[in-house]
Amino acid sequence: HQPNTLPFVHQSFFHQPNTTLTIIQSQSIILSMNVGYQDRTAGAVEHCESMATANSGVIGEAYETLAGFLKAKLWHQLTIQVLSILQAPDTYAAAVATTSTTSGGGDDTTTTMMEEMRHSFWTLYDKVVLPVDAKLNPLSLAKIGALVSQAIQPQDVTAAKAILENLMAKFKEQHETNTANVVVGANNPAASLNQAFVVPATIFVESKLSSLVLETTTTTTNNEEDFGSVLSTIQSNEVKLHEFPAEGNSELAAVHAAHYQSSMLYYKRLGPPAAFYEQALQYLQHKGPEFSTPSHKNDADQRRAAHILAVDLITAALTGDGVYNLGQVQQTPVLQLLSNTPDAWLVELLQATAAGNVAQFRTCRETYAAQLAAQPALTARAAAVEEKLHLLALVTLVFSKPSQERQLTFEEIARALLLLSNDDDGGGVDRVEWIVMRALSVHLIEGSIDQVAQTVHVTWVMPRVLSPEQLQELAARFGEWAAKVSTTQDVSMNLSQTMMMA
C-alpha cells in the first residue's frame, strides 16, 4: 500500500517497524468501524421506512423523505428536514413519550408495536438522529437535541437534562480529540468545518442546560450558592463568545441568543432587575424579529414566552437602578404582544414614565390600581419608580428648552414635575434641589445649582432614544438654527461689502 491510500494515518507512520502488519490492523479497524456505521445507518433507514408505512399524511411523507436522505447520505438536507419537524409540533402532532416498554406477548406485544410506530420526538432523535450524529454539523445536532429536550421537559425533566448532558459530554470529547489530532481536519474540509462548530455547539448546549436548571429547580430561597455552577457557566461562555461574533451569521446568533437567554433567566431569578433588563435586550437582539412580533406562524408556547418576557422587561425597566434610557425598550417589537391583553396597561405606564409625564403616570396609577397591586415587583419598588419618573421629567423639561435658555428656577421645575399643590408650604420647591442633585449624581444632566437664587444652569443633557414627537421638535430646532446661521451669514457679507466700499 502507498501512504496516500490511508489519509487518516500520519506519514511518519510508514517509517516505523512492522509497518505492513500495522497497516493491515488499521484497515481492519477502519473496515469494522465502517460496517458498524453502515449497520446503524441501515437501522435508521429501516425505522424511517417503517414509520412512513405506518403513518399517513404529512408524518408518513416526512419519514419517507428522511429515508431518502439517509440512503443518499445527504446529511445537510437530513438536518433541515429533522429541524422542520421539530419546529412544527402542531403540524406533525408529535407524541412526547420518552421511553418504550417491552412485554411478553398477546395484547401487550401488539400495544408495544403500535407505540413503537407512533411518531414522537424522542424516537425520531433516538432512532434517526443519534445513529448518524457523527455526520451532522455539531451546532445543528445541538439545536436538534435542545428542541427534543424542550419537548419532553414537561413530562420528564430528568430525560430532558440527560439529552443535553450527553451532548455536552460528546462535544467536549470531540473538542479534545480535534485539539489532539489536526491531521483529519487538514485532509477533510467537511470535518474541518464541523470542528469549527464544536465550541459554539458546546456553548449552545451548556446555555440550554443552564436555562433548564433555572426553570425547573425549586428552592425556598434564591441564593447565589444554589446556582453557582450556572453562574460560572454563564461567565465562562460570555468570554468564549467574543471569539464567535454573531454579526451577519444567523447560526452564531442562535448561540448568542441561547447564552443571553440563560443569563437573563439567572438575573430574573436572583436579580438585580437592571442586569435582567440588559441581558433581555441582548437576547431579543440576537433572537431575531420572528420571536418579538405577533404572527400566526408562532406556536402558542412561543407567544406565551414572548408575552411573559414583555411583562418582565417593562417591570425591569421601571424598577431597575440605572435604567433611564427607556426609549430602548419602547421600540422593542415584543411589546406589541401586550396590545389588547389584560397587561396592555403596563405599556401605558412605561410610556408615561419614559416621557416624564407625571400627570399621565398618576392617571395610569389611579386607573389601574388593582392591576398595579397585583405586581409585587412594582409595589415593592414604588418609591424607586416615582424617583425615576421625576428624574426623567426633569430631563424632558431641560430637553424642551433651547440650549441658550437652560437656566431654570426651582419653582419652574417644581411646577413641571407637579410637586406643588394648592396648599403647598414650600415643600415642593425644597424637593427640587434633591431631585436636581440626584440627576447630577447619576449623570442625567451636567450643570450647576445656585442655592441662593434657587436656579439650575444645565450645560448638558443625557442622550437618549427620542420619540417621534421629540424628533419633530428637534428638527424644528435645527430649522431655526439654520435660519439664524443664514441671517448671520447675510449680515457678515453686507458688512464685508460696506467695508470694501469704504
Side-chain angles (χ1 to χ4, degrees):
H1 298 281
Q2 297 299 319
N4 58 7
T5 59
L6 290 176
F8 296 97
V9 182
H10 198 274
Q11 297 295 322
S12 62
F13 168 79
F14 294 93
H15 301 287
Q16 303 299 325
N18 302 323
T19 301
T20 304
L21 177 60
T22 309
I23 291 175
I24 294 173
Q25 291 173 340
S26 299
Q27 286 182 318
S28 299
I29 294 173
I30 293 172
L31 287 173
S32 64
M33 290 174 61
N34 286 338
V35 170
Y37 169 72
Q38 290 171 358
D39 289 342
R40 297 189 70 191
T41 305
V45 172
E46 182 180 354
H47 174 74
C48 289
E49 290 177 342
S50 300
M51 291 294 293
T53 303
N55 294 273
S56 59
V58 293
I59 296 178
E61 293 174 1
Y63 276 97
E64 185 177 355
T65 302
L66 289 175
F69 291 150
L70 284 167
K71 292 177 182 178
K73 295 181 174 56
L74 299 175
W75 310 122
H76 177 66
Q77 290 83 345
L78 177 72
T79 300
I80 294 176
Q81 178 69 8
V82 171
L83 284 171
S84 67
I85 294 173
L86 296 175
Q87 291 170 343
D90 294 337
T91 301
Y92 292 95
V96 293
T98 60
T99 59
S100 60
T101 58
T102 58
S103 53
D107 294 339
D108 291 337
T109 302
T110 303
T111 302
T112 302
M113 293 177 62
M114 291 177 62
E115 287 295 326
E116 289 177 351
M117 292 298 100
R118 186 183 181 192
H119 166 60
S120 74
F121 286 171
W122 169 251
T123 54
L124 175 64
Y125 181 70
D126 184 50
K127 295 184 180 295
V128 178
V129 177
L130 290 183
V132 297
D133 60 357
K135 288 294 183 180
L136 304 184
N137 179 297
L139 185 52
S140 297
L141 178 60
K143 292 179 179 179
I144 290 171
L147 288 169
V148 175
S149 174
Q150 180 182 352
I152 69 177
Q153 174 187 333
Q155 285 72 31
D156 195 336
V157 174
T158 303
K161 289 182 179 178
I163 290 174
L164 300 176
E165 289 169 348
N166 291 339
L167 283 175
M168 280 176 52
K170 173 184 174 63
F171 292 145
K172 288 181 178 179
E173 180 182 357
Q174 190 173 347
H175 178 62
E176 294 173 358
T177 303
N178 293 341
T179 304
N181 183 8
V182 297
V183 179
V184 174
N187 294 329
N188 189 336
S192 180
L193 179 61
N194 282 352
Q195 289 174 14
F197 281 103
V198 170
V199 175
T202 305
I203 296 173
F204 183 87
V205 173
E206 287 179 337
S207 299
K208 288 297 183 179
L209 182 59
S210 296
S211 297
L212 179 59
V213 170
L214 289 164
E215 290 173 340
T216 59
T217 301
T218 55
T219 59
T220 55
T221 58
N222 286 328
N223 298 320
E224 291 186 5
E225 293 79 8
D226 298 330
F227 302 97
S229 61
V230 172
L231 180 59
S232 177
T233 299
I234 291 172
Q235 293 173 338
S236 175
N237 287 340
E238 180 74 29
V239 177
K240 294 177 184 177
L241 282 175
H242 292 159
E243 302 177 10
F244 303 96
E247 289 77 7
N249 190 320
S250 59
E251 296 295 322
L252 292 179
V255 178
H256 283 254
H259 165 72
Y260 286 116
Q261 181 184 29
S262 64
S263 183
M264 77 173 185
L265 288 175
Y266 176 85
Y267 290 113
K268 176 182 178 178
R269 187 152 189 172
L270 281 81
F276 167 82
Y277 174 81
E278 178 183 351
Q279 300 301 303
L281 287 180
Q282 290 287 345
Y283 169 71
L284 289 173
Q285 177 183 348
H286 291 92
K287 187 66 175 176
E290 71 279 358
F291 176 82
S292 302
T293 54
S295 170
H296 66 280
K297 296 181 180 179
N298 296 336
D299 61 75
D301 290 340
Q302 180 169 301
R303 289 199 302 272
R304 182 163 52 251
H307 184 108
I308 293 173
L309 179 56
V311 172
D312 292 338
L313 194 58
I314 292 176
T315 304
L318 292 173
T319 62
D321 292 330
V323 180
Y324 297 105
N325 197 350
L326 302 186
Q328 287 180 303
V329 66
Q330 276 187 291
Q331 295 187 357
T332 304
V334 73
L335 298 191
Q336 299 175 18
L337 294 174
L338 301 184
S339 299
N340 302 318
T341 72
D343 293 317
W345 66 276
L346 282 167
V347 179
E348 295 183 38
L349 194 68
L350 175 69
Q351 291 172 342
T353 307
N357 192 326
V358 180
Q360 183 182 353
F361 180 89
R362 291 179 179 177
T363 300
C364 290
R365 188 172 58 185
E366 295 173 0
T367 304
Y368 306 110
Q371 293 91 324
L372 191 60
Q375 292 285 338
L378 292 176
T379 55
R381 298 271 297 169
V385 175
E386 186 170 1
E387 175 190 304
K388 182 175 294 188
L389 171 68
H390 287 147
L391 290 174
L392 293 177
L394 175 61
V395 170
T396 300
L397 174 62
V398 173
F399 181 81
S400 67
K401 300 288 185 180
S403 58
Q404 69 275 12
E405 299 178 12
R406 288 182 175 174
Q407 180 159 317
L408 311 174
T409 66
F410 282 15
E411 183 175 357
E412 181 182 4
I413 296 173
R415 293 191 182 281
L417 274 57
L418 301 185
L419 299 176
L420 299 176
S421 59
N422 294 332
D423 56 349
D424 187 81
D425 57 358
V429 174
D430 293 340
R431 291 180 59 191
V432 169
E433 184 176 357
W434 184 92
I435 293 173
V436 173
M437 291 178 64
R438 178 62 175 161
L440 290 168
S441 68
V442 297
H443 207 230
L444 293 179
I445 61 173
E446 291 180 0
S448 58
I449 303 176
D450 188 332
Q451 294 175 310
V452 176
Q454 291 195 324
T455 59
V456 179
H457 179 64
V458 180
T459 58
W460 176 88
V461 63
M462 173 193 72
R464 56 179 179 155
V465 178
L466 301 179
S467 65
E469 293 77 11
Q470 290 172 321
L471 287 173
Q472 291 178 359
E473 182 179 347
L474 188 62
R477 289 189 198 173
F478 275 121
E480 294 174 359
W481 173 80
K484 290 180 180 179
V485 170
S486 178
T487 301
T488 303
Q489 182 182 14
D490 293 341
V491 171
S492 298
M493 292 182 64
N494 291 334
L495 287 175
S496 299
Q497 292 176 357
T498 303
M499 292 175 64
M500 292 177 63
M501 292 176 62

